[in-house]
């Protein structure tokens, strides 16, 4: 059976006034489904004692098919408005608060997520404090599909400027959200869920620095949050950075777009001193973070056998990764993992990225000579050039800092391994000069000790370096 069966053909056209808006869907049929939902959560369904054990935990096939059809139909604005008009969100809130059926909970959150795609409905849902609290509680659910739909709904609301601040404030005041999100990131193997939760965290941090700072500082004491059965349960002492890393490692090979999201979260952390400290003062001193990012740059992204155009596809991911590496290198030069004897391959990778960008830049110049029909594409190219410039700036900053730390021994090793030669050094100098003149000059002095001929050749190609003899 398909997860969300397509809505069936309706006889609404045959019943005058029964059609929902301009659709062929039947008002009467939708009413019947909403009525059945009310019956599912009605008091008559509970045990005489008032316990919730009487609530059904499984949907019968007919009910599941019907409510799934409503789920699909709710993507239509007319249907969404009809559901809103007849208080469907209140009915769904009752389901979320009382139902013990994971599939029913998932579908109801999914319908709300579809409805929230429309601005007026999103504002109405967001301003309902009770519904907002019930939805946030769903983040403590144990059912991955429900968590996925809840995260999708939250992201939809956070992406609406008119109501994003409402949700940010609501989340800031609800400590269990931090615990639940960290638990998902650190323990889930559901790639789709991890990606969507990552998008929520990324959006939250981008919207509100204060919330990001609060989450960075969290984990200093044990947190208590609601469990699935709403009874208090002590959760692990979560810290945000290890949870982000665990999720990134889980989705690394399966979802490049999701990896991009988690790397951007780390980059956002480095925009505040507290975030950098959270990364480099982890129990391992930041070694795990450095190892993951180092491995991505040196062994996965922008590799020697890739076409130069790959840098266009990976530019945002590379920019995030290199930005975090740069912040870590600048703050942790005394750490063993940042020592240059281990990082010559990283220098080689940085220069290769610059070489690929130069190649893409030449292609962009050639393309700009085409006809006026290419005006739209040229605008897209300008945006790509902007992102490549950001990547270049980040890459050059890290490269200049690393070159300043090179010793004669490191340089000899780099020459031997092929990371340094006249071509790669020329590319580095071309991109670093004149802004990073001091770094280039420092490296050239070390290079002169390691390979006088190469140093002389570079001085001839870059006359501005012939200052000191």
């Amino acid at each position: 059976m398909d997860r969300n069966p397509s809505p069936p053909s309706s006889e609404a056209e045959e019943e005058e006034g029964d059609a929902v808006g301009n659709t062929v869907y039947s008002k009467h049929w939708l009413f019947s489904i909403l009525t059945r939902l009310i019956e599912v959560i009605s008091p008559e369904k509970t045990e005489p004692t008032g316990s919730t054990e009487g609530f059904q935990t499984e949907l019968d096939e007919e009910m599941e098919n019907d409510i799934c059809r409503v789920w699909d139909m709710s993507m239509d604005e007319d249907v969404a408005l009809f559901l809103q008009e007849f208080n469907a969100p209140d009915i769904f809130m009752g389901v979320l608060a009382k139902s013990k059926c994971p599939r029913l909970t998932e579908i109801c959150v999914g319908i709300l997520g579809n409805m929230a795609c429309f601005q007026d409905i999103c504002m109405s849902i967001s301003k309902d404090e009770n519904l907002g609290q019930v939805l946030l509680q769903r983040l403590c659910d144990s059912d991955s599909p429900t968590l996925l739909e809840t995260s999708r709904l939250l992201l939809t609301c956070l992406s609406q400027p008119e109501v994003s601040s409402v949700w940010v404030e609501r989340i800031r005041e609800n400590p269990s959200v931090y615990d639940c999100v960290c638990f998902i990131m650190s323990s889930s193997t559901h790639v789709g869920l991890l990606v969507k939760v990552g998008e929520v965290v990324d959006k939250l941090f981008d919207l509100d620095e204060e919330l990001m700072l609060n989450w960075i500082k969290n984990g200093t004491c044990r947190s208590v949050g609601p469990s699935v059965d709403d009874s208090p349960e002590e959760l692990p002492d979560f810290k945000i950075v290890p949870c982000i890393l665990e999720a990134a490692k889980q989705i690394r090979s399966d979802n490049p777009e999701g990896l991009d999201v988690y790397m951007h979260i780390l980059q956002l952390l480095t925009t505040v001193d507290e975030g950098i400290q959270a990364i480099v003062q982890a129990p391992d001193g930041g070694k795990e973070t450095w190892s993951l990012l180092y491995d991505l740059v040196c062994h996965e992204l922008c590799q020697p056998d890739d076409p130069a155009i790959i840098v266009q596809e990976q530019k945002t991911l590379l920019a995030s990764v290199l930005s975090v590496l740069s912040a870590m290198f600048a703050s942790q030069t005394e750490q063993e993992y940042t020592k240059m004897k281990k990082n010559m391959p990283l220098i080689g990778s940085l220069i290769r990225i610059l070489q690929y960008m130069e190649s893409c830049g030449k292609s962009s110049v050639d393309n700009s000579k085409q006809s006026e029909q290419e005006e739209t594409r040229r605008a897209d190219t300008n945006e790509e050039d902007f992102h490549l410039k950001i990547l270049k700036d980040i890459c050059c900053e890290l490269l200049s800092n690393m070159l300043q730390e090179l010793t004669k021994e490191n340089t000899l090793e780099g020459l031997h391994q092929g990371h340094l030669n006249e071509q790669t050094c020329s590319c580095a100098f071309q991109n670093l000069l004149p802004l990073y003149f001091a770094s280039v000059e420092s490296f050239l002095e070390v290079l002169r000790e390691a390979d006088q001929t190469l140093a002389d050749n570079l001085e001839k190609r870059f006359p501005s370096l012939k200052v000191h003899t």
Side-chain angles (χ1 to χ4, degrees), residues 116-137:
C117 293
F118 306 105
Q119 183 177 331
D120 289 344
I121 300 177
C122 185
M123 292 180 67
S124 176
I125 291 174
S126 299
K127 291 177 180 178
D128 187 330
E129 185 63 29
N130 291 331
L131 179 56
Q133 292 299 329
V134 168
L135 288 170
L136 290 184
Q137 289 172 10

Side-chain angles (χ1 to χ4, degrees), residues 34-228:
L34 294 177
T35 301
R36 288 166 66 188
L37 275 177
I38 293 172
E39 292 174 353
V40 167
I41 59 171
S42 63
E44 289 77 12
K45 293 290 182 180
T46 62
E47 294 292 330
T49 59
S51 71
T52 58
E53 293 178 2
F55 287 120
Q56 63 187 80
T57 58
E58 299 290 337
L59 281 176
D60 64 71
E61 186 173 346
E62 180 183 359
M63 181 63 175
E64 181 170 353
N65 284 338
D66 286 343
I67 193 66
C68 278
R69 287 171 184 139
V70 176
W71 189 357
D72 282 336
M73 292 161 63
S74 63
M75 291 187 290
D76 186 290
E77 185 172 10
D78 284 336
V79 174
L81 288 170
F82 175 84
L83 292 173
Q84 172 74 6
E85 181 182 354
F86 289 94
N87 299 319
D90 289 342
I91 297 173
F92 297 146
M93 180 170 63
V95 173
L96 299 182
K98 298 180 180 180
S99 173
K100 298 300 177 181
C101 175
R103 179 63 170 148
L104 180 58
T105 302
E106 172 205 356
I107 296 169
C108 288
V109 177
I111 295 172
L112 284 170
N114 283 350
M115 294 173 65
C117 293
F118 306 105
Q119 183 177 331
D120 289 344
I121 300 177
C122 185
M123 292 180 67
S124 176
I125 291 174
S126 299
K127 291 177 180 178
D128 187 330
E129 185 63 29
N130 291 331
L131 179 56
Q133 292 299 329
V134 168
L135 288 170
L136 290 184
Q137 289 172 10
R138 287 304 95 207
L139 287 173
C140 299
D141 208 297
S142 61
D143 181 59
S144 291
T146 297
L147 289 171
L148 176 59
E149 293 306 318
T150 303
S151 301
R152 185 175 73 89
L153 171 57
L154 289 177
L155 183 62
T156 299
C157 294
L158 289 168
S159 300
Q160 295 270 9
E162 297 80 9
V163 299
S164 59
S165 60
V166 174
W167 285 98
V168 169
E169 184 64 26
R170 189 173 285 150
I171 290 169
R172 189 190 296 138
E173 294 176 352
N174 194 328
S176 68
V177 174
Y178 170 86
D179 293 316
C180 295
V181 166
C182 284
F183 181 75
I184 293 168
M185 291 193 295
S186 62
S187 62
S188 178
T189 58
H190 190 300
V191 172
L193 172 59
L194 289 172
V195 172
K196 195 58 66 178
V197 166
E199 290 175 344
V200 170
V201 174
D202 188 44
K203 191 67 177 177
L204 282 170
F205 286 3
D206 194 39
L207 286 170
D208 193 82
E209 185 176 295
E210 181 183 345
L211 183 142
M212 180 173 73
L213 287 168
N214 289 341
W215 282 25
I216 290 170
K217 295 171 184 175
N218 255 323
T220 55
C221 59
R222 290 208 172 271
S223 303
V224 176
S227 66
V228 176

